[in-house]
Amino acid sequence: MCIDLKLQNHLSKEKFWEFLSQYALADADERAREELKNYLKEDFLRFCYTFSLLPKIDQPYEVFEVGGNPYYLTALMKKYTNYKITCSNFFNDKDTTFYQEKQLLVNADGTKSIPMPYVNLNIEKNWYKENRDVVCFCEVVEHMVESPVRALLNINKMLKVQGYLVMSTPNVNRLENVARMIAGANIYDPYSGYGQYGRHNREYNKHELAQMLSMCGFEIEVMFTSNVHEEYAGNYFDVEKVLSLVKEIPNRELDLGQYIFIRARKVKDVEKVEIPGWLYRSMGEKWIRQGDRIKTKL
């Protein structure tokens, strides 16, 4: 379920690992540091695949990254691209005000640091500045609690026409989930101690995301699924039996990777887009598009 990883400018995943494995958040306690260490180890290839989708890394593009913390992709962009990067985070479910703050990545002996300024932004409630060349929306859409389409429309507002959206998200149709369902196990994410935005509130497949992005004004350039860590499907059911059935459906095996990776371009402004009504129930279009947006911007 893995595809070939092709990085720009002769970069390599070995270089990326050597760089990223040195750093951790300065304000993380011992438990959080261990959690982040395991997170990097488990999902390291995801950052590599996402980086491979970044457009024209030698250009001084204005880039906005939604949900930068813990800054692994951010750090790679800062070191290996010419991008001018702005990050957002949203740590408090109730705090929808705009303010600027900063976190710090430090290496093990504290001799090197990378400042990570960010703006407090709930992408479901508002957007931050327009005419961006690139928006990175990675491992975020699955956390939306009100309207993922509203988040995509807010991103649309931030991008210039023909600007790039780089996106990744867990694949609800991954092989592990297929095996789980056959075995009678549940596929849903546990409740999170990090608040309502901490858990995966809804995961998506390629077909759904292709529809959502098209209707929200984007044209997909690249979309694929791939594994990034050990395959756990065999813990639930005989993988060979699953694959023998799956392969009876043409190209279905291409949809079974653990994560979905996308690069798309904005081709329509928000005034010209449609709303994918199939994603909602008992919600009016105005709420889907706007909700209770906070209008004050930095």
Side-chain angles (χ1 to χ4, degrees):
M1 303 301 166
C2 294
I3 72 162
D4 290 338
L5 177 63
K6 298 178 181 178
L7 294 169
Q8 308 95 313
N9 291 8
H10 305 291
L11 294 170
S12 68
K13 63 182 182 182
E14 289 77 17
K15 284 184 178 180
F16 285 0
W17 176 259
E18 182 182 3
F19 171 57
L20 290 180
S21 60
Q22 297 178 55
Y23 288 92
L25 284 167
D27 58 357
D29 59 22
E30 185 175 345
R31 181 193 61 82
R33 282 176 178 267
E34 188 63 25
E35 187 175 306
L36 289 172
K37 181 181 178 181
N38 292 332
Y39 175 62
L40 177 61
K41 182 179 179 181
E42 184 83 351
D43 279 11
F44 168 70
L45 278 179
R46 175 165 58 78
F47 304 114
C48 297
Y49 278 118
T50 304
F51 189 95
S52 76
L53 293 175
L54 295 175
K56 302 176 183 178
I57 62 174
D58 294 326
Q59 295 296 313
Y61 277 166
E62 293 281 349
V63 177
F64 190 87
E65 183 185 6
V66 180
N69 182 282
Y71 308 108
Y72 294 125
L73 179 62
T74 325
L76 291 176
M77 290 193 291
K78 280 179 174 281
K79 184 171 179 64
Y80 295 110
T81 78
N82 287 328
Y83 292 168
K84 301 174 182 176
I85 304 161
T86 304
C87 288
S88 73
N89 287 307
F90 187 64
F91 297 124
N92 185 327
D93 292 349
K94 297 179 175 58
D95 185 2
T96 56
T97 58
F98 280 92
Y99 59 82
Q100 291 177 320
E101 190 55 82
K102 183 174 69 175
Q103 290 182 290
L104 200 66
L105 288 182
V106 294
N107 67 345
D109 61 9
T111 59
K112 298 179 183 178
S113 63
I114 307 173
M116 295 292 182
Y118 68 89
V119 60
N120 185 65
L121 174 73
N122 182 339
I123 195 63
E124 281 194 298
K125 301 290 187 182
N126 214 331
W127 68 97
Y128 178 70
K129 295 186 179 179
E130 300 171 352
N131 292 314
R132 300 299 171 113
D133 298 292
V134 182
V135 172
C136 295
F137 190 47
C138 301
E139 308 309 302
V140 178
V141 68
E142 68 273 13
H143 294 274
M144 300 295 92
V145 299
E146 290 185 3
S147 176
V149 164
R150 190 189 310 149
L152 288 171
L153 295 182
N154 285 338
I155 289 171
N156 181 306
K157 292 171 186 174
M158 295 169 63
L159 281 168
K160 59 179 61 173
V161 175
Q162 295 299 318
Y164 294 92
L165 168 64
V166 173
M167 187 173 176
S168 71
T169 187
N171 177 20
V172 74
N173 288 159
R174 58 191 175 270
L175 183 61
E176 180 185 335
N177 279 359
V178 176
R180 279 173 176 262
M181 292 291 283
I182 292 173
N186 200 305
I187 67 171
Y188 287 100
D189 202 39
Y191 291 95
S192 171
Y194 291 110
Q196 63 177 342
Y197 281 98
R199 73 185 299 271
H200 293 188
N201 291 294
R202 191 188 195 282
E203 294 182 352
Y204 301 85
N205 61 32
K206 286 168 61 181
H207 178 69
E208 291 176 317
L209 290 173
Q211 282 192 306
M212 287 169 61
L213 290 170
S214 176
M215 297 180 79
C216 289
F218 296 94
E219 184 176 275
I220 293 174
E221 289 189 341
V222 182
M223 173 186 273
F224 61 89
T225 76
S226 185
N227 284 5
V228 303
H229 52 68
E230 181 183 350
E231 179 60 81
Y232 302 117
N235 294 343
Y236 300 93
F237 200 81
D238 187 332
V239 172
E240 292 305 316
K241 289 182 179 180
V242 176
L243 291 177
S244 66
L245 292 173
V246 165
K247 288 177 180 178
E248 293 185 14
I249 306 171
N251 299 317
R252 182 69 177 87
E253 69 275 11
L254 301 177
D255 301 334
L256 299 177
Q258 293 160 349
Y259 288 86
I260 301 171
F261 298 91
I262 300 169
R263 186 176 69 230
R265 300 189 81 158
K266 172 181 170 177
V267 293
K268 293 180 183 177
D269 288 322
V270 291
E271 294 80 10
K272 300 177 182 178
V273 307
E274 302 175 68
I275 296 299
W278 52 264
L279 189 58
Y280 299 92
R281 183 175 63 216
S282 304
M283 292 178 69
E285 182 170 330
K286 183 176 179 181
W287 173 260
I288 293 169
R289 284 179 176 269
Q290 295 185 351
D292 296 327
R293 186 167 60 243
I294 309 301
K295 297 182 179 180
T296 304
K297 296 195 291 294
L298 286 171

